[in-house]
Amino acid sequence: MAASAGAGADAVGRRHDCMSCTAAAPCPDMVKSTLSNHFRVLCEAGLIQTSKKGVEHRNIVREADINARFPKLLKTILGFSEQG
């Protein structure tokens, strides 16, 4: 996913919190156009939902939808990231 393992785990763990694109960037020096494209792909794939708050785009993992389509996928990925 777009966020680093730690940030992704935080986003899913909080369930209702959103992250800005900048906060979810896996590396601080990522070019904005690359980041925007990455979030566009995730949104088109149905993995995240993006909303606009002022000038900021906020993202939330569509956990319920992902779990319905792929049971235990997020839990497995996040469990693996915590082991590493």
Side-chain angles (χ1 to χ4, degrees):
M1 298 204 163
S4 65
D10 289 345
V12 174
R14 293 187 306 235
R15 285 187 172 79
H16 300 291
D17 289 350
C18 295
M19 294 180 77
S20 69
C21 292
T22 305
C27 38
D29 298 331
M30 183 176 281
V31 178
K32 284 186 180 184
S33 60
T34 301
L35 188 59
S36 294
N37 184 58
H38 194 68
F39 280 109
R40 179 185 58 79
V41 170
L42 290 172
C43 191
E44 289 175 358
L47 299 175
I48 64 170
Q49 181 177 358
T50 303
S51 59
K52 193 168 180 180
K53 183 177 181 184
V55 298
E56 191 173 68
H57 288 86
R58 310 285 292 173
N59 301 294
I60 189 164
V61 175
R62 297 179 63 173
E63 185 176 1
D65 294 338
I66 295 169
N67 285 335
R69 291 175 59 195
F70 308 103
K72 300 183 183 176
L73 176 66
L74 289 176
K75 184 183 270 190
T76 301
I77 291 170
L78 296 174
F80 179 76
S81 70
E82 290 173 0
Q83 293 173 10

